[in-house]
Amino acid sequence: MASIAEARSGPARERAGPDAEPVVLERELTGAVLAGAARADVLRTLARVTGLQMRLLSAEGVPLATTDGGSGVAATVADGVLAGVAGPVVDTLDGLRATALAVRAGTTVAGVLLTVGPGDPRTRALAGAAVTALLIDAVRAGDGSAEVPPRHTPEDVVAALRSGTVSPSVWAAATELGIDLRRPPAGAVLHYTGSRLRAWSTALAWLEHPVRQEGRTAWTVVTGDAVLARLRSRLGLMTGDEPAGEHVVAASGSHPDSPTGLARSFSEAERLLQLARARGVPLLTFGGGGVVQVLLPLPRAQLEAYVETHLGPIRQRPELMATLRAWLAERGSRQSVSEQLHLHRNSVGYRVRQIKNLLGTDPLLPAASAELHLALAALDLLAADDERSRGDDEPV
């Protein structure tokens, strides 16, 4: 067909008035598609009526049909449009501004319709008039993108965010749960070490917070350290252990730049959780991790090399390692180290001399102290990773 606009008279739309114009156009486009017109015909008609170029994209932001041969948008942008959380104005991959419209109804989705150029209420209304026609075409063509997966449970959403797989339906479900993926939260992990497992599961189920549980471990997302601290405190109270919260350990990763970065954030949280358990601290966040923030992105081989360089001569000497940790923590107070390690002051002095000789430096010198603090943190992280990879009686 030459054009739907030619098949249906333009003057008839103009006589209908500006308010009725979209209604008339919708009737024309729907009738034409039912008579055999294709999506490309619909786009050409919209381009003629609006004077702007049109592009129909898949749910992944890939062009299905265009009037100008232009490109689509990033998948995350398409996700946001379909989920109703992205603004109407988007940037295309070829550097143009466009007005986006989600083409969907219920579980049927034809993708994203872009009007290239500045939009106005009339243009948006006319683009909206094409939705029904495009949906009919999508169903008739049997596009793989024509069906949206069923609604996700909170557990499904957390699992998807943990894997970094954020589809339009996951984005929409996350939005309904109050999770703003335009400003992604941090991944977080909570672990229970007590004996009241039924109370633990009940407490997680009663939280007004999306959680995925596997045995003693639960995953969620948090917008800040204070949120995680409150969750941990509440779970501690609800499990009924005494003292409250003693058996709940929590950790969180960094805040990613995009939803797909949540997979890294959750991985950081899991490593920090294991580190928190090893150190015997109830809460460890990325922001409160100190030098660990610097170490988390480094590959294991690099961590091993750093530890060996700075601690190699005493690494296999537990008594010297314990003395070094205490000596650095107590800033060289022989009395404090003596009390902490239950050693005679002379024994502390003897061990410190051994450490200085074997390492070839005074641990209290500023440069040496900084290097040794970093090496000890790297060693702790390696040990936590080893424990995590071995796994204990529950998944972490």
Side-chain angles (χ1 to χ4, degrees), residues 22-44:
V23 177
V24 175
L25 180 61
E26 180 178 16
R27 185 164 57 246
E28 293 175 358
L29 294 176
T30 302
V33 169
L34 289 173
R39 61 182 63 156
D41 300 310
V42 174
L43 296 191
R44 281 195 292 269

Side-chain angles (χ1 to χ4, degrees), residues 30 33 38 54 85 124-125 142 189 204 210 214 219 221 235 239 247 282 312 338 352 374:
T30 302
V33 169
M54 311 298 298
V85 295
R124 290 194 290 271
V189 191
L204 289 171
E214 291 183 18
W219 292 264
V221 292
L235 288 169
T239 54
H247 297 294
S338 173
V352 171
L374 194 61

